Amino acid sequence: MASLSYSPFLFLLFLLSLPCIIDSARLHHYPPHTNFLQCLSQNSEHSSSISNLIYTPQNSSYSSVLHFTLQDLRFNTSSTPKPLVIVTPTSVSHIQSVISCCRKHGLQLRIRSGGHDYEGLSYVSAVPFVVLDMINMRDIKVDVANNNAWVQAGASLGELYYKITQISRNLAFPAGVCPSVGIGGHISGGGYGPLLRKYGIAADQVIDAQLIDVNGRLMDRASMGEDVFWAIRGGGGNTFGVVIAWKVNLVSVPSTVTLFTVPRTLEQNAIKIVHRWQYVANKLPDELYILSVMGKTNASEVGSDSVKATFFGLFLGGINQLLPLMQERFPELGLVKEDCSEMGWAESILNIAGFPANTSLDNLLTRTLLKARTKSKSDYVKEAIPEDALERLWKRFYEVDDLGFMYMVPYGGRMSQVPESSVPFAHRAGYLYKIGYFATWNEDTNRASQRHINWIRKLYSRMTPYVSKNPRGAYINYRDLDIGVNNVLGQTSYAKASIWGKKYYGDNFDRLVRVKTAIDPTNFFRNEQSIPPLL
């Protein structure tokens, strides 16, 4: 990726668009990031220590730091806006200094923990900005006696899982299956994984947190108050402050769990099985989670391009318990012993993430997996989709020339028992399942990107009659700017933000706005889909 440059023309446009920064820059005869760097040096207790954690485009390590956890190659182009400065703090005081200096010099702040934001908002902005990269703040302390852990926001899910399993094989944390996802962003958006039917989402298990607000105050649950503590557990990242660490409950899992994978083609009654899955998956025992994925295969798999449905299951128990249960409750799938594998919970995470069997648990520590260009969208379903509609949907996957798929996440169980107001994540009782739509491609051209984005938008549009309505629900951790955005410059009204906000948060959006107004009334922490304060 090309480094940031200041051509006279671009710099003029920059100055014309940002009068608040112009005055400071003109006064000192320096670009705004130079004043920001001077501010950091003057406001840091140990200026020499923070200087080693600062990267500008002139620094030889800038590109490698920027790219390391930049997960979506769609935002790795020469035209993608780059941060003026990247700071990788190692202490609370570093973060406090960054917030103070960004405020003083009118720079926007983006916070990155794992770099998995599906619209790149943790490392891309249309206005001059600084990235606060939390990668150096990833300490994890597991307390087995009390079944909890403190985990810093820069740690990955895999690092937390690895730490847990090194201490106990019967404890787990109910979160996602991609090891490189950052804890900070994952919990900030709710966070879910294959334990959600048994234990709910990741945010449900948070019992304390450390947060730095716009004024640089370091607060825990007691000092931030219950409203703010409620808001940060699913209200979206980069909107209320900088979460330093989460204290989370750990949950019990058996020593042996069972995984299964069952692919079915059209000739193997895939559509009928998917249709039946809608009536079964949310009513199974809480210990059983069956994910349904529909997507295009390639010629090397079945001899020609085709579409298949694949069912991925995790059962908190052994094969001998699972098989009679499936025969009784979901015989249409035709599960047999050969489809199943027994293993520990941590091994199951690696398996679901795509690692081969018997892979070392050390792979949980990987910070970078295969990167690609992607576009995602999401939906929630309250009533089963008719079989003929599934048949029409099936045909849509032949239209994509790379990898396009949708997966359906079963609800029920614990998800139906937690009130929708418990945390900002509102999609609970009454929903059969969640849908995630994904398009993934390799070709590095704008034309290819637009072709795949158009495909997923058409697919999403065709699903309108069959998904939730008024509002049409969406999941904040499957970030989608198509559903509405805030103003890039200036303030955003409640009415405009509610267009996307009600889709993510339902009735919880109003409470989030009130919390934002109280803790960050000037809207310093902001992005294209951050909660706005009331004007």
Side-chain angles (χ1 to χ4, degrees):
M1 185 181 293
S3 63
L4 188 66
S5 61
Y6 291 96
S7 71
F9 176 69
L10 290 177
F11 190 60
L12 176 61
L13 290 179
F14 162 70
L15 292 178
L16 289 174
S17 64
L18 291 151
C20 62
I21 298 177
I22 291 173
D23 293 340
S24 175
R26 283 177 176 168
L27 178 63
H28 296 92
H29 305 291
Y30 291 123
H33 78 289
T34 301
N35 290 330
F36 170 79
L37 296 177
Q38 291 176 343
C39 178
L40 280 185
S41 178
Q42 294 166 1
N43 285 274
S44 298
E45 294 179 5
H46 305 287
S47 59
S48 59
S49 67
I50 197 171
S51 65
N52 297 321
L53 307 171
I54 297 170
Y55 303 88
T56 69
Q58 290 71 40
N59 188 293
S60 60
S61 299
Y62 173 87
S63 290
S64 61
V65 172
L66 176 62
H67 295 161
F68 183 63
T69 57
L70 190 159
Q71 304 293 343
D72 195 328
L73 298 180
R74 185 157 61 101
F75 307 107
N76 185 9
T77 70
S78 59
S79 60
T80 303
K82 314 297 188 300
L84 297 174
V85 181
I86 303 171
V87 184
T88 58
T90 59
S91 70
V92 167
S93 64
H94 292 156
I95 297 172
Q96 291 167 326
S97 295
V98 170
I99 293 172
S100 175
C101 293
C102 280
R103 292 183 68 193
K104 182 176 180 180
H105 295 287
L107 296 176
Q108 196 168 100
L109 182 63
R110 296 295 169 104
I111 305 162
R112 180 168 76 172
S113 56
H116 283 267
D117 187 294
Y118 285 162
E119 295 284 9
L121 299 188
S122 62
Y123 51 86
V124 175
S125 175
V127 298
F129 69 109
V130 171
V131 167
L132 188 66
D133 191 324
M134 302 293 286
I135 193 166
N136 288 329
M137 300 192 71
R138 43 210 263 222
D139 186 49
I140 300 169
K141 291 183 172 62
V142 176
D143 182 351
V144 174
N146 294 299
N147 290 351
N148 61 49
W150 270 105
V151 51
Q152 287 190 315
S156 68
L157 295 182
E159 289 168 338
L160 175 59
Y161 298 160
Y162 184 85
K163 188 78 169 185
I164 293 170
T165 200
Q166 294 302 298
I167 299 173
S168 172
R169 303 285 286 181
N170 294 110
L171 290 176
F173 182 62
V177 298
C178 180
S180 61
V181 165
I183 284 284
H186 191 67
I187 296 179
S188 293
Y192 81 94
L195 296 179
L196 89 164
R197 302 192 66 250
K198 179 68 175 177
Y199 293 113
I201 61 173
D204 293 337
Q205 303 298 333
V206 176
I207 54 178
D208 204 344
Q210 294 177 334
L211 175 78
I212 300 178
D213 75 353
V214 67
N215 297 309
R217 296 176 296 183
L218 176 62
M219 300 179 288
D220 61 7
R221 178 175 184 172
S223 55
M224 74 177 74
E226 287 302 302
D227 279 347
V228 175
F229 181 65
W230 173 86
I232 62 176
R233 291 176 293 155
N238 204 148
T239 193
F240 302 104
V242 180
V243 175
I244 303 301
W246 305 97
K247 187 178 183 181
V248 298
N249 278 321
L250 304 181
V251 300
S252 298
V253 291
S255 301
T256 298
V257 304
T258 302
L259 278 185
F260 63 81
T261 303
V262 180
R264 292 290 183 259
T265 63
L266 189 62
E267 294 74 21
Q268 296 170 314
N269 292 322
I271 292 176
K272 290 185 179 297
I273 298 173
V274 172
H275 183 254
R276 179 60 183 159
W277 172 93
Q278 298 178 101
Y279 294 92
V280 173
N282 70 312
K283 296 182 176 66
L284 292 168
D286 299 355
E287 292 79 13
L288 180 54
Y289 167 92
I290 304 177
L291 179 76
S292 176
V293 182
M294 293 175 60
K296 186 177 180 181
T297 64
N298 56 48
S300 63
E301 293 183 70
V302 295
S304 62
D305 282 352
S306 183
V307 177
K308 68 178 179 181
T310 304
F311 300 85
F312 299 94
L314 172 67
F315 176 62
L316 300 179
I319 293 175
N320 291 337
Q321 297 171 277
L322 173 63
L323 290 177
L325 171 62
M326 288 293 289
Q327 183 58 39
E328 177 186 355
R329 304 290 291 273
F330 195 12
E332 295 85 355
L333 186 60
L335 184 71
V336 296
K337 187 173 183 179
E338 290 72 22
D339 298 322
C340 305
S341 298
E342 291 183 340
M343 61 192 73
W345 169 76
E347 287 83 1
S348 77
I349 294 294
L350 284 174
N351 193 290
I352 297 171
F355 288 88
N358 301 316
T359 294
S360 168
L361 288 178
D362 290 349
N363 284 292
L364 288 169
L365 302 177
T366 183
R367 295 289 301 201
T368 57
L369 296 176
L370 183 64
K371 299 183 180 184
R373 294 162 187 85
T374 66
K375 171 64 180 176
S376 65
K377 303 180 82 66
S378 60
D379 262 320
Y380 288 89
V381 176
K382 291 187 171 184
E383 297 181 1
I385 299 174
E387 190 171 328
D388 61 344
L390 290 174
E391 291 178 355
R392 292 191 296 272
L393 175 64
W394 191 271
K395 297 174 183 178
R396 302 284 76 84
F397 291 98
Y398 288 101
E399 299 171 358
V400 64
D401 54 2
D402 279 286
L403 181 61
F405 60 97
M406 60 177 275
Y407 60 77
M408 295 168 276
V409 179
Y411 273 27
R414 182 64 180 161
M415 293 300 288
S416 295
Q417 299 163 10
V418 177
E420 66 176 32
S421 60
S422 176
V423 296
F425 182 96
H427 310 291
R428 301 283 190 169
Y431 293 93
L432 299 180
Y433 58 92
K434 172 170 61 185
I435 297 177
Y437 310 91
F438 292 87
T440 302
W441 62 99
N442 294 315
E443 188 179 346
D444 184 16
T445 66
N446 289 334
R447 185 175 181 180
S449 294
Q450 198 57 56
R451 185 170 69 250
H452 287 85
I453 291 171
N454 287 342
W455 173 80
I456 198 172
R457 286 171 175 167
K458 289 179 181 178
L459 179 65
Y460 180 79
S461 177
R462 287 166 173 151
M463 290 293 289
T464 303
Y466 312 110
V467 297
S468 60
K469 300 172 180 63
N470 302 317
R472 181 175 183 172
Y475 176 43
I476 183 66
N477 273 357
Y478 291 174
R479 180 88 70 180
D480 180 13
L481 297 185
D482 293 348
I483 68 173
V485 294
N486 295 337
N487 296 326
V488 175
L489 297 175
Q491 297 298 320
T492 298
S493 68
Y494 167 88
K496 182 170 184 177
S498 65
I499 294 172
W500 58 263
K502 294 283 187 178
K503 294 173 183 175
Y504 286 140
Y505 305 113
D507 292 338
N508 291 332
F509 179 69
D510 288 350
R511 184 178 176 187
L512 287 169
V513 171
R514 293 195 297 271
V515 174
K516 174 71 171 183
T517 305
I519 194 171
D520 184 21
T522 62
N523 201 25
F524 170 74
F525 292 104
R526 60 188 298 179
N527 60 44
E528 287 81 345
Q529 285 184 343
S530 59
I531 304 297
L534 289 172
L535 301 178

